[in-house]
Amino acid sequence: RGYIAIGDNDGCGAQCRRCPDQLFCEVAAAEPSVVTGYRAGNESVDEWFSVWKCAHPQHCNQDLQQLVFSDGSQVETGVLNRCAENRVGLACGACAPDFFTQAEQCAPCTGGADYIPLFFALIFGACILIATYYVANSPVTAYTSSMLATSVSFGMLVTGMQSLSVMKQMSVNFPTQWVAVLNVLGLVALNLDPLRVECTLVSDAAGRYVVQASVPLLAGLGYAFLYFISHPICAL
């Protein structure tokens, strides 16, 4: 969308660089402006041309301004390197420290109360591990076919819940009740936002990914622990 001068020369000078589609360089300004819903850095010229699309446009709620073209047309654009309030990251995809994700917004951490969802999740997860281990190691009976059908049906139910949870990633204003349902379904897909892990465990995006990737490993370790305590000590 136009060209911008690179260097100390006025106008195009020795080098002009074409702006990507997500930037506006139509006016004589010190730096370009960015299309709403995108974020670009402003620390250097190279960062101007590294444009990131936000997963949700409202996350890149920059300081909006009206850009007027020479033909009189106007378009709403944003300032470089601006995210919505309390959001950080290349694409404004993470909450700032001491904030957690809640309904696609960043809410402040509240202290001790933030550990309550994580505590109940750990208790519930431990109960699921024990129950599934006990069922899987129960003596084979005449109802093996029924158990197999039940296990397959349960697996299909979990897969369906994971598929439904993807709907939460859409840029749609769901009713409040439906958002609560999607949050619960998201736990099956290892979406840890309802557990407020930003306030209790890690605050950065890389740490959140490590926690999510560690859940299956921790489940495997839990089954191994149950195996070792049930065989030599006390059979479940």
Side-chain angles (χ1 to χ4, degrees), residues 43-64:
E43 297 297 329
S44 66
V45 173
D46 290 334
E47 286 195 7
W48 290 356
F49 298 91
S50 298
V51 185
W52 302 85
K53 183 178 181 179
C54 295
H56 298 275
Q58 64 268 27
H59 291 177
C60 288
N61 185 23
Q62 305 101 338
D63 297 332
L64 302 180

Side-chain angles (χ1 to χ4, degrees), residues 129 133 217-231:
L129 284 179
Y133 181 83
L217 176 61
L218 293 176
L221 293 176
Y223 283 123
F225 175 75
L226 291 174
Y227 174 83
F228 285 114
I229 67 172
S230 63
H231 280 72

Side-chain angles (χ1 to χ4, degrees), residues 4-217:
I4 190 167
I6 304 300
D8 298 329
N9 298 318
D10 294 332
C12 286
Q15 181 183 8
C16 284
R17 188 168 177 179
R18 183 177 179 83
C19 285
D21 292 338
Q22 296 79 20
L23 294 181
F24 285 101
C25 307
E26 301 289 345
V27 295
E31 60 184 25
S33 55
V34 64
V35 177
T36 55
Y38 291 83
R39 179 187 178 276
N42 65 347
E43 297 297 329
S44 66
V45 173
D46 290 334
E47 286 195 7
W48 290 356
F49 298 91
S50 298
V51 185
W52 302 85
K53 183 178 181 179
C54 295
H56 298 275
Q58 64 268 27
H59 291 177
C60 288
N61 185 23
Q62 305 101 338
D63 297 332
L64 302 180
Q65 58 187 5
Q66 291 293 330
L67 183 62
V68 181
F69 296 101
S70 56
D71 59 0
S73 60
Q74 299 182 13
V75 65
E76 191 175 56
T77 63
V79 180
L80 296 179
N81 199 28
R82 293 290 191 277
C83 291
E85 186 178 6
N86 301 321
R87 300 201 73 89
V88 295
L90 290 176
C92 305
C95 290
D98 298 325
F99 287 83
F100 69 96
T101 303
Q102 184 180 54
E104 301 304 332
Q105 303 295 328
C106 291
C109 297
T110 57
D114 295 320
Y115 289 87
I116 296 177
L118 181 62
F119 173 77
F120 281 105
L122 291 175
I123 296 298
F124 180 76
C127 293
I128 291 295
L129 284 179
I130 295 174
T132 53
Y133 181 83
Y134 177 80
V135 172
N137 290 274
S138 60
V140 178
T141 65
Y143 300 99
T144 303
S145 298
S146 300
M147 179 60 66
L148 176 61
T150 302
S151 301
V152 173
S153 300
F154 179 75
M156 295 176 63
L157 175 63
V158 171
T159 302
M161 295 172 65
Q162 292 176 334
S163 300
L164 285 175
S165 68
V166 177
M167 296 177 60
K168 192 173 185 294
Q169 304 302 319
M170 300 179 181
S171 299
V172 178
N173 292 324
F174 293 105
T176 304
Q177 299 84 349
W178 184 236
V179 171
V181 173
L182 291 177
N183 286 335
V184 174
L185 295 178
L187 292 174
V188 183
L190 301 184
N191 176 21
L192 305 182
D193 289 344
L195 303 184
R196 306 185 184 184
V197 293
E198 297 98 329
C199 300
T200 56
L201 297 177
V202 293
S203 59
D204 60 310
R208 283 168 51 87
Y209 177 79
V210 170
V211 172
Q212 287 178 303
S214 300
V215 172
L217 176 61

